[in-house]
Amino acid sequence: MRDKIKMNSTGTTKAGKKTGTFRTTTKNKRTTTDKLKFKHYDPRAYNPETGKCGMHVLFEEGKI
């Protein structure tokens, strides 16, 4: 009863492109009808405040 899902990063690189980082997890089909969104660490995401890569960004559910 659990579906495998892919969580795609919303972070961007210094050039403004998507990082392509993802995580995989499962969710219960019966209880969850909306798309999942979590904040996780993305080592490729560029942080303009510090000028370095690596920051916490939003990961949104996508198709696996």
Side-chain angles (χ1 to χ4, degrees), residues 26-39:
T26 60
K27 79 172 187 178
N28 191 341
K29 269 201 278 193
R30 290 184 180 181
T31 59
T32 311
T33 58
D34 52 338
K35 298 218 177 231
L36 296 179
K37 294 181 182 180
F38 291 114
K39 240 183 170 181

Side-chain angles (χ1 to χ4, degrees), residues 4-8 22-24 60-64:
K4 287 185 182 178
I5 58 169
K6 183 177 180 180
M7 305 290 287
N8 296 317
F22 67 92
R23 298 170 149 259
T24 57
E60 295 178 340
E61 179 182 342
K63 292 187 177 180
I64 197 160

Side-chain angles (χ1 to χ4, degrees), residues 8-55:
N8 296 317
S9 172
T10 58
T12 58
T13 62
K14 191 172 184 176
K17 298 179 182 179
K18 290 188 174 185
T19 61
T21 306
F22 67 92
R23 298 170 149 259
T24 57
T25 186
T26 60
K27 79 172 187 178
N28 191 341
K29 269 201 278 193
R30 290 184 180 181
T31 59
T32 311
T33 58
D34 52 338
K35 298 218 177 231
L36 296 179
K37 294 181 182 180
F38 291 114
K39 240 183 170 181
H40 288 289
Y41 181 77
D42 185 353
R44 296 180 185 172
Y46 179 72
N47 189 346
E49 293 178 10
T50 62
K52 297 180 181 179
C53 290
M55 63 184 289

